[in-house]
Amino acid sequence: MIVTLASLRTRWVTLTGSFVALTLGVALLATMGLALASTLDAPTQRPERLAGAPVVVRGPDELRVGDKHRPLTNYRGVPAGVATRLAAAVPTVADRSFAVRDGFTGHPWSVARFGGYRLTAGRAPAAPGEVVVSGEPALLGSEMQDRRVVGTVELAGYERALFFTDTEAARLSPRIDNLVVDADPGPVRTLIGAAPGIQVLTGDERRRADPDPDRDAEALMTVNALLGTAGGITTFVSVFVVASTFAFAVAQRRRELGLLRTAGATPGQVRRMVLAEAAVVGVLASAAGCALGARGAPLLARLLVDERLAPPWFVIGAHRWPFHVAFWTGLLVALAGAVTAAVRAGRVGPLEALREAAVDTGSMPPGRRIAGALVLATGLGLLVWRVIVEPAEALHRKTYTTQPMLLIIAVALLSPMVVRPLVRAVRLPGVTGLLARENAAAGIRRTATIAAPVLITVALTGSLLGATATITTAKADELRERTRADVIVEQPDAATVAKARAVPGATVMTSAQTAVYVLQEGVALVGFPASAVDAGALASVRRLPVVAGSLAELDDSSIVVTDEWAQHTVGSRINVWLGDGTPKTLRIAAVLAAGTGSDGAYLTPANAPGLAPDRLEMTVPEPSLVAGLGLTREQWLAEQAPRTGRQTRVGFLVVLGIALLYTAIALANTLVMATTGRVPEFAALRLAGATRGQVLRLVTVEALRVVGVGAVLGAAVTLLNLAGIWAALGRLSVWSPMVVPWQPLAGAAGACAVIAMTAALATAVRRAR
């Protein structure tokens, strides 16, 4: 222990990078752990739109098959018989919600008071052509949805409301979504009797009548996924950096360890000394990281709320277990990172004390070769398996986020085999270029250690951003390929549909989004998105990838499915539940390639009763015949172009920020250690006639060359990952170009180059005198 403490005292500079990396890693783990823990005890979402209602009666909104249940896509509303029976006995108000163009939601005026809506200007609607809108009083008197605005109410955070008279709302949407009852819940349940699935909601349960009753839960799930991914990347990168740093530190100390062996130290004693150093650094860094994490968690919560990734009420609770997890994880990371270095340290022989050359002449250890080959085989095997067996899995975020890690580890382990050829592949003119090339080639271990953090930053940047860009481009190309309509109208009303059908020579198709549910293998109740379409016009307005059967066979007794369904044999009959929970047996008329998953099943409107069309698509012989009716194909495609989700972008920025931070620490620490150990080399160069400026140029060129090696290896990992995604898309019948984010890749490599040059020059300026 005395030797360990003395070693730490004299080598504190070389351990500073490991200490900072571990401190930040533990701080991030503690911060994210506290945030994750705070999502597990979140308060129940409070009711909003009908918060002032005494009792809310709601129809069945879940499909239950045995002990399995799923929310229904097409809510059926309160049965007419139940509504009539209650209205005859107690005071009731029928609540209706329906989509209106331009993002508004329509309601009858009589329910406005239950959501806290109050007139800020004007009056209530009294005639069919009058509406009250949630917005500024300046809207009073304007025209909206072909109706006159006679009143305004304040904006609510959960919807943009448009209130009609009760009579007109009932005409526009006959379904009763909820029934507000002014009575005690007991008598209401008695009046309902044995009607199956009818809900009597009171208290916080009234949130089930809100437009998005699980909004907060879904937001917290997003937070969980974001923090889980960032935490996993943090752990991975910190182990990677610490292991690399400790291994290089031991390599730099070969003569020192050889002296210890000459003095009588056994291999076990040397290993224990290295592990003890890591333990001391781990304990101190983990304690500092926990203290830093306690301050960082509230800042993270505020950032999540400001970025609208978490609900406004989200705060960090009082939890202790995240600190334990972060502390012990940090200590284990330090020890795990030092294990390989400790094993190598025990192999140092007494004769190393006499060694003068710093050239790495030995071959790569067999254990490292085997480990690298196994990890590479695993990574490539999983990539190929996904392409062949589960291509859709390759498009999931959890897959393309974790897939690069195996390949990064494999390339890092095997990098000493390719460092020398890569370094010597580029020949720069002059003595400086020659010396930089030979120095980097001679110090393979040093070069590989410096290149490792560059590899991880460039590979993560290219793989994550390239994966999302490739998938987004594929979805956009798929949408363009499958859309044949000349004009598209979103949320068409009956008058628009009639006008479109009256155009001479036009082929018109209306569609409504629904779902079908299947009990797969008697175990999982799976819901698939579906569209209820006019079967006769489907092939004319959409170009679908039919792999079996024919779209012409679609009728009221059949269904079109994708090949991701467990049962997808044309002509076979399949038991499904429709979007409103109705069980039905349908014949498979055709099978489509699943593609990126944007298409689902296709039904006829008879299998989606009560649904109003939410889209109209039409082909016309002359576009001028329908000018102004809707969007042209190009306008609609531009508006509907798939984009990377905001949560995904923020998550990747967090991950890449962590990677770049660790890269800065690792590069600076390793280059400081490496440059400090080269003082005799600099002295020899000065004695040979080199000027101080030439020595500094040599250090700069060598640092840039090594960063270039890491960038090339990172780009290779990126291309391999993106090739896997591109091949998986091809297997899904989506042939779209592979998108390589060259600009972010160059930016990441450039940032690494700046960090490397700064660290190398800052040390060399002092040491090259």
Side-chain angles (χ1 to χ4, degrees):
M1 181 57 71
I2 294 175
V3 175
T4 300
L5 293 177
S7 176
L8 287 170
R9 190 165 52 252
T10 58
R11 294 179 50 254
W12 66 270
V13 174
T14 60
L15 291 173
T16 298
S18 300
F19 176 84
V20 174
L22 269 175
T23 299
L24 291 175
V26 171
L28 287 167
L29 286 175
T31 298
M32 295 171 190
L34 287 167
L36 282 170
S38 300
T39 64
L40 302 178
D41 55 1
T44 303
Q45 184 173 323
R46 303 285 295 177
E48 294 173 322
R49 200 173 64 78
L50 296 181
V55 174
V56 177
V57 174
R58 185 168 174 80
D61 57 8
E62 279 190 336
L63 169 64
R64 291 188 172 272
V65 180
D67 60 346
K68 303 169 184 63
H69 58 90
R70 290 184 66 93
L72 288 171
T73 301
N74 303 132
Y75 172 56
R76 288 177 288 186
V78 180
V82 172
T84 301
R85 189 159 62 249
L86 286 172
V90 291
T92 63
V93 176
D95 170 45
R96 295 176 167 87
S97 297
F98 48 95
V100 189
R101 284 181 300 175
D102 302 325
F104 283 95
T105 302
H107 300 293
W109 172 249
S110 58
V111 301
R113 57 192 173 96
F114 299 116
Y117 285 110
R118 296 291 183 270
L119 284 170
T120 55
R123 58 175 176 82
E130 298 178 345
V131 292
V132 169
V133 64
S134 56
E136 297 296 327
L139 294 172
L140 195 66
S142 63
E143 292 290 325
M144 189 166 293
Q145 307 294 336
D146 300 324
R147 293 171 175 83
R148 188 165 62 90
V149 177
V150 297
T152 61
V153 293
E154 291 184 355
L155 281 168
Y158 50 87
E159 67 176 358
R160 296 176 65 197
L162 197 65
F163 293 98
F164 300 80
T165 63
D166 288 17
T167 303
E168 188 173 13
R171 181 183 64 81
L172 295 172
S173 178
R175 183 187 71 190
I176 299 176
D177 293 294
N178 306 286
L179 204 62
V180 178
V181 182
D182 189 7
D184 292 332
V188 173
R189 291 190 178 94
T190 302
L191 287 168
I192 291 173
I198 302 299
Q199 307 168 74
V200 179
L201 308 176
T202 59
D204 287 341
E205 285 300 310
R206 291 170 297 174
R207 70 181 178 86
R208 303 306 312 172
D210 286 337
D212 194 358
D214 299 316
R215 179 184 65 243
D216 288 354
E218 291 170 357
L220 293 182
M221 286 178 62
T222 300
V223 173
N224 271 282
L226 169 64
L227 298 179
T229 300
I233 294 287
T234 300
T235 304
F236 167 71
V237 176
S238 60
V239 171
F240 194 93
V241 168
V242 173
S244 178
T245 303
F246 269 100
F248 182 65
V250 170
Q252 290 284 94
R253 299 168 62 194
R254 281 177 298 188
R255 295 187 65 193
E256 173 194 334
L257 297 174
L259 283 172
L260 288 173
R261 293 297 312 283
T262 304
T266 66
Q269 287 175 321
V270 172
R271 292 190 189 101
R272 285 194 293 275
M273 183 189 74
V274 173
L275 288 174
E277 291 176 359
V280 172
V281 172
V283 169
L284 296 177
S286 296
C290 287
L292 194 59
R295 294 181 175 275
L299 298 177
L300 175 62
R302 195 175 309 133
L303 174 66
L304 293 171
V305 171
D306 291 344
E307 293 294 325
R308 300 193 303 278
L309 298 176
W313 48 260
F314 182 67
V315 293
I316 301 298
H319 304 280
R320 293 193 177 275
W321 66 261
F323 291 112
H324 289 282
V325 171
F327 180 88
W328 294 111
T329 299
L331 183 56
L332 288 174
V333 163
L335 294 176
V339 164
T340 303
V343 172
R344 184 178 293 134
R347 293 174 181 163
V348 175
L351 293 178
E352 293 288 342
L354 304 177
R355 185 173 178 177
E356 292 294 338
V359 180
D360 295 323
T361 57
S363 60
M364 196 167 68
R368 182 166 181 167
R369 288 176 181 268
I370 294 171
L374 288 175
V375 176
L376 181 61
T378 303
L380 292 176
L382 285 174
L383 190 148
V384 172
W385 177 83
R386 289 192 180 101
V387 170
I388 296 174
V389 180
E390 291 286 347
E393 189 71 20
L395 308 186
H396 295 167
R397 185 171 61 179
K398 65 179 180 181
T399 300
Y400 63 71
T401 300
T402 56
Q403 174 72 34
M405 295 183 189
L406 285 174
L407 297 177
I408 289 170
I409 294 172
V411 172
L413 288 172
L414 299 174
S415 61
M417 297 175 61
V418 297
V419 160
R420 188 167 285 158
L422 283 176
V423 166
R424 288 180 169 166
V426 178
R427 296 179 178 271
L428 297 177
V431 176
T432 300
L434 175 63
L435 284 175
R437 184 178 74 242
E438 295 306 318
N439 279 339
I444 295 176
R445 185 175 288 120
R446 180 181 71 235
T447 302
T449 302
I450 297 172
V454 181
L455 157 66
I456 192 171
T457 300
V458 172
L460 283 177
T461 300
S463 297
L464 297 183
L465 299 183
T468 54
T470 298
I471 294 170
T472 301
T473 300
K475 289 182 176 180
D477 289 348
E478 182 183 55
L479 185 64
R480 178 174 294 276
E481 173 66 23
R482 297 186 180 186
T483 302
R484 300 178 66 177
D486 299 312
V487 176
I488 296 125
V489 183
E490 297 287 349
Q491 302 297 336
D493 53 26
T496 302
V497 173
K499 184 177 179 180
R501 295 193 188 280
V503 175
T507 301
V508 179
M509 184 189 81
T510 58
S511 61
Q513 294 304 302
T514 180
V516 288
Y517 305 90
V518 182
L519 191 63
Q520 291 193 342
E521 300 178 355
V523 176
L525 185 61
V526 181
F528 291 96
S531 298
V533 300
D534 302 324
L538 178 59
S540 299
V541 299
R542 295 194 187 178
R543 188 183 294 107
L544 300 178
V546 178
V547 296
S550 171
L551 296 178
E553 298 297 318
L554 178 62
D555 56 26
D556 294 346
S557 63
S558 63
I559 184 173
V560 174
V561 302
T562 64
D563 55 12
E564 65 181 338
W565 285 46
Q567 183 178 346
H568 56 268
T569 304
V570 173
S572 62
R573 304 188 72 80
I574 186 169
N575 296 320
V576 301
W577 286 265
L578 302 179
D580 61 0
T582 303
K584 197 156 188 179
T585 300
L586 298 173
R587 174 179 53 83
I588 297 178
V591 179
L592 309 177
T596 62
S598 56
D599 260 330
Y602 286 89
L603 306 159
T604 62
N607 290 315
L611 280 187
D614 52 33
R615 183 181 299 168
L616 181 148
E617 300 167 63
M618 61 186 300
T619 59
V620 290
E622 179 54 53
S624 61
L625 296 174
V626 289
L629 185 65
L631 299 177
T632 66
R633 177 176 180 271
E634 293 304 321
Q635 289 172 334
W636 184 82
L637 287 172
E639 189 177 274
Q640 299 293 320
R643 295 173 178 85
T644 303
R646 194 162 169 277
Q647 293 88 349
T648 301
R649 288 199 307 273
V650 173
F652 285 170
L653 287 175
V654 171
V655 168
L656 296 178
I658 292 169
L660 188 58
L661 177 65
Y662 274 111
T663 295
I665 295 168
L667 277 176
N669 186 50
T670 307
L671 281 164
V672 167
M673 287 193 295
T675 309
T676 301
R678 297 174 65 186
V679 172
E681 177 188 336
F682 297 153
L685 287 171
R686 294 299 305 277
L687 288 173
T691 65
R692 190 180 180 207
Q694 288 174 321
V695 172
L696 295 181
R697 281 198 298 273
L698 171 64
V699 171
T700 302
V701 172
E702 189 174 336
L704 290 175
R705 184 181 288 272
V706 175
V707 168
V709 170
V712 169
L713 294 176
V717 172
T718 294
L719 293 174
L720 192 55
N721 275 298
L722 296 185
I725 293 175
W726 176 79
L729 287 167
R731 287 272 297 141
L732 295 169
S733 300
V734 182
W735 293 106
S736 182
M738 183 173 71
V739 181
V740 182
W742 293 114
Q743 200 168 6
L745 279 175
C752 293
V754 171
I755 294 167
M757 282 194 304
T758 303
L761 283 174
T763 308
V765 164
R766 297 196 310 271
R767 303 293 182 178
R769 295 171 183 171

mmCIF file of all heavy atoms in Angstrom, residues 24-46:
data_model
loop_
_atom_site.group_PDB
_atom_site.id
_atom_site.type_symbol
_atom_site.label_atom_id
_atom_site.label_comp_id
_atom_site.label_asym_id
_atom_site.label_seq_id
_atom_site.Cartn_x
_atom_site.Cartn_y
_atom_site.Cartn_z
ATOM 1 N N LEU A 24 -16.999 12.285 -14.164
ATOM 2 C CA LEU A 24 -18.087 12.691 -15.051
ATOM 3 C C LEU A 24 -19.022 11.523 -15.352
ATOM 4 O O LEU A 24 -20.244 11.686 -15.423
ATOM 5 C CB LEU A 24 -17.525 13.265 -16.347
ATOM 6 C CG LEU A 24 -16.799 14.613 -16.210
ATOM 7 C CD1 LEU A 24 -16.179 15.016 -17.535
ATOM 8 C CD2 LEU A 24 -17.762 15.693 -15.734
ATOM 9 N N GLY A 25 -18.446 10.334 -15.532
ATOM 10 C CA GLY A 25 -19.286 9.169 -15.793
ATOM 11 C C GLY A 25 -20.217 8.867 -14.643
ATOM 12 O O GLY A 25 -21.416 8.635 -14.831
ATOM 13 N N VAL A 26 -19.675 8.876 -13.416
ATOM 14 C CA VAL A 26 -20.507 8.626 -12.235
ATOM 15 C C VAL A 26 -21.528 9.744 -12.055
ATOM 16 O O VAL A 26 -22.688 9.496 -11.689
ATOM 17 C CB VAL A 26 -19.615 8.481 -10.985
ATOM 18 C CG1 VAL A 26 -20.457 8.430 -9.718
ATOM 19 C CG2 VAL A 26 -18.768 7.218 -11.093
ATOM 20 N N ALA A 27 -21.118 10.987 -12.314
ATOM 21 C CA ALA A 27 -22.057 12.114 -12.197
ATOM 22 C C ALA A 27 -23.231 11.944 -13.161
ATOM 23 O O ALA A 27 -24.397 12.156 -12.789
ATOM 24 C CB ALA A 27 -21.337 13.426 -12.473
ATOM 25 N N LEU A 28 -22.920 11.538 -14.395
ATOM 26 C CA LEU A 28 -23.992 11.328 -15.371
ATOM 27 C C LEU A 28 -24.888 10.163 -14.969
ATOM 28 O O LEU A 28 -26.119 10.236 -15.081
ATOM 29 C CB LEU A 28 -23.386 11.084 -16.752
ATOM 30 C CG LEU A 28 -22.785 12.320 -17.436
ATOM 31 C CD1 LEU A 28 -21.936 11.910 -18.624
ATOM 32 C CD2 LEU A 28 -23.880 13.276 -17.868
ATOM 33 N N LEU A 29 -24.289 9.083 -14.460
ATOM 34 C CA LEU A 29 -25.095 7.940 -14.016
ATOM 35 C C LEU A 29 -25.984 8.332 -12.840
ATOM 36 O O LEU A 29 -27.161 7.950 -12.781
ATOM 37 C CB LEU A 29 -24.182 6.782 -13.626
ATOM 38 C CG LEU A 29 -23.524 6.023 -14.776
ATOM 39 C CD1 LEU A 29 -22.546 4.992 -14.235
ATOM 40 C CD2 LEU A 29 -24.572 5.337 -15.634
ATOM 41 N N ALA A 30 -25.432 9.071 -11.890
ATOM 42 C CA ALA A 30 -26.238 9.512 -10.744
ATOM 43 C C ALA A 30 -27.361 10.446 -11.186
ATOM 44 O O ALA A 30 -28.510 10.328 -10.743
ATOM 45 C CB ALA A 30 -25.343 10.207 -9.722
ATOM 46 N N THR A 31 -27.013 11.368 -12.083
ATOM 47 C CA THR A 31 -28.019 12.309 -12.587
ATOM 48 C C THR A 31 -29.153 11.580 -13.293
ATOM 49 O O THR A 31 -30.340 11.822 -13.025
ATOM 50 C CB THR A 31 -27.356 13.310 -13.548
ATOM 51 O OG1 THR A 31 -26.370 14.056 -12.839
ATOM 52 C CG2 THR A 31 -28.382 14.259 -14.133
ATOM 53 N N MET A 32 -28.796 10.667 -14.187
ATOM 54 C CA MET A 32 -29.815 9.939 -14.944
ATOM 55 C C MET A 32 -30.562 8.960 -14.060
ATOM 56 O O MET A 32 -31.766 8.750 -14.224
ATOM 57 C CB MET A 32 -29.167 9.229 -16.123
ATOM 58 C CG MET A 32 -28.590 10.196 -17.140
ATOM 59 S SD MET A 32 -27.598 9.370 -18.391
ATOM 60 C CE MET A 32 -26.865 10.777 -19.196
ATOM 61 N N GLY A 33 -29.853 8.363 -13.098
ATOM 62 C CA GLY A 33 -30.538 7.465 -12.163
ATOM 63 C C GLY A 33 -31.572 8.198 -11.328
ATOM 64 O O GLY A 33 -32.686 7.703 -11.106
ATOM 65 N N LEU A 34 -31.229 9.388 -10.851
ATOM 66 C CA LEU A 34 -32.193 10.180 -10.092
ATOM 67 C C LEU A 34 -33.395 10.560 -10.952
ATOM 68 O O LEU A 34 -34.544 10.523 -10.487
ATOM 69 C CB LEU A 34 -31.515 11.442 -9.539
ATOM 70 C CG LEU A 34 -30.540 11.240 -8.381
ATOM 71 C CD1 LEU A 34 -29.722 12.495 -8.145
ATOM 72 C CD2 LEU A 34 -31.304 10.848 -7.107
ATOM 73 N N ALA A 35 -33.126 10.922 -12.205
ATOM 74 C CA ALA A 35 -34.237 11.266 -13.101
ATOM 75 C C ALA A 35 -35.105 10.045 -13.390
ATOM 76 O O ALA A 35 -36.339 10.138 -13.390
ATOM 77 C CB ALA A 35 -33.686 11.855 -14.400
ATOM 78 N N LEU A 36 -34.466 8.890 -13.622
ATOM 79 C CA LEU A 36 -35.233 7.667 -13.872
ATOM 80 C C LEU A 36 -36.071 7.298 -12.658
ATOM 81 O O LEU A 36 -37.241 6.912 -12.784
ATOM 82 C CB LEU A 36 -34.279 6.519 -14.224
ATOM 83 C CG LEU A 36 -33.730 6.508 -15.647
ATOM 84 C CD1 LEU A 36 -32.622 5.482 -15.774
ATOM 85 C CD2 LEU A 36 -34.839 6.196 -16.643
ATOM 86 N N ALA A 37 -35.478 7.389 -11.478
ATOM 87 C CA ALA A 37 -36.228 7.069 -10.263
ATOM 88 C C ALA A 37 -37.421 8.002 -10.090
ATOM 89 O O ALA A 37 -38.492 7.589 -9.619
ATOM 90 C CB ALA A 37 -35.306 7.156 -9.050
ATOM 91 N N SER A 38 -37.259 9.241 -10.494
ATOM 92 C CA SER A 38 -38.348 10.214 -10.349
ATOM 93 C C SER A 38 -39.490 9.941 -11.315
ATOM 94 O O SER A 38 -40.611 10.402 -11.092
ATOM 95 C CB SER A 38 -37.807 11.631 -10.561
ATOM 96 O OG SER A 38 -36.802 11.932 -9.622
ATOM 97 N N THR A 39 -39.213 9.213 -12.407
ATOM 98 C CA THR A 39 -40.295 8.874 -13.335
ATOM 99 C C THR A 39 -41.127 7.696 -12.846
ATOM 100 O O THR A 39 -42.205 7.439 -13.376
ATOM 101 C CB THR A 39 -39.731 8.523 -14.719
ATOM 102 O OG1 THR A 39 -38.931 7.338 -14.615
ATOM 103 C CG2 THR A 39 -38.877 9.652 -15.273
ATOM 104 N N LEU A 40 -40.610 6.951 -11.854
ATOM 105 C CA LEU A 40 -41.313 5.754 -11.390
ATOM 106 C C LEU A 40 -42.394 6.069 -10.366
ATOM 107 O O LEU A 40 -43.278 5.245 -10.142
ATOM 108 C CB LEU A 40 -40.300 4.759 -10.786
ATOM 109 C CG LEU A 40 -39.187 4.312 -11.734
ATOM 110 C CD1 LEU A 40 -38.236 3.372 -11.013
ATOM 111 C CD2 LEU A 40 -39.771 3.632 -12.967
ATOM 112 N N ASP A 41 -42.306 7.217 -9.733
ATOM 113 C CA ASP A 41 -43.331 7.572 -8.738
ATOM 114 C C ASP A 41 -44.028 8.878 -9.131
ATOM 115 O O ASP A 41 -44.281 9.741 -8.318
ATOM 116 C CB ASP A 41 -42.720 7.696 -7.342
ATOM 117 C CG ASP A 41 -41.568 8.677 -7.290
ATOM 118 O OD1 ASP A 41 -41.245 9.275 -8.333
ATOM 119 O OD2 ASP A 41 -40.990 8.842 -6.207
ATOM 120 N N ALA A 42 -44.286 9.012 -10.419
ATOM 121 C CA ALA A 42 -44.925 10.228 -10.926
ATOM 122 C C ALA A 42 -46.379 10.301 -10.447
ATOM 123 O O ALA A 42 -47.046 9.278 -10.296
ATOM 124 C CB ALA A 42 -44.898 10.240 -12.446
ATOM 125 N N PRO A 43 -46.883 11.497 -10.193
ATOM 126 C CA PRO A 43 -48.280 11.634 -9.777
ATOM 127 C C PRO A 43 -49.244 11.283 -10.906
ATOM 128 O O PRO A 43 -48.895 11.337 -12.080
ATOM 129 C CB PRO A 43 -48.397 13.116 -9.394
ATOM 130 C CG PRO A 43 -47.314 13.785 -10.180
ATOM 131 C CD PRO A 43 -46.190 12.796 -10.270
ATOM 132 N N THR A 44 -50.448 10.901 -10.530
ATOM 133 C CA THR A 44 -51.471 10.570 -11.517
ATOM 134 C C THR A 44 -51.873 11.821 -12.299
ATOM 135 O O THR A 44 -52.023 12.902 -11.722
ATOM 136 C CB THR A 44 -52.710 9.981 -10.820
ATOM 137 O OG1 THR A 44 -52.303 8.841 -10.068
ATOM 138 C CG2 THR A 44 -53.763 9.569 -11.834
ATOM 139 N N GLN A 45 -52.017 11.669 -13.599
ATOM 140 C CA GLN A 45 -52.426 12.803 -14.436
ATOM 141 C C GLN A 45 -53.815 13.262 -14.042
ATOM 142 O O GLN A 45 -54.747 12.467 -13.914
ATOM 143 C CB GLN A 45 -52.409 12.382 -15.908
ATOM 144 C CG GLN A 45 -52.716 13.502 -16.879
ATOM 145 C CD GLN A 45 -52.523 13.056 -18.325
ATOM 146 O OE1 GLN A 45 -51.620 12.287 -18.625
ATOM 147 N NE2 GLN A 45 -53.383 13.537 -19.205
ATOM 148 N N ARG A 46 -53.972 14.538 -13.835
ATOM 149 C CA ARG A 46 -55.244 15.106 -13.395
ATOM 150 C C ARG A 46 -56.183 15.270 -14.586
ATOM 151 O O ARG A 46 -55.752 15.473 -15.726
ATOM 152 C CB ARG A 46 -55.007 16.469 -12.758
ATOM 153 C CG ARG A 46 -54.044 16.456 -11.595
ATOM 154 C CD ARG A 46 -54.641 15.876 -10.359
ATOM 155 N NE ARG A 46 -55.742 16.692 -9.860
ATOM 156 C CZ ARG A 46 -56.494 16.365 -8.802
ATOM 157 N NH1 ARG A 46 -56.285 15.217 -8.181
ATOM 158 N NH2 ARG A 46 -57.464 17.158 -8.411
#
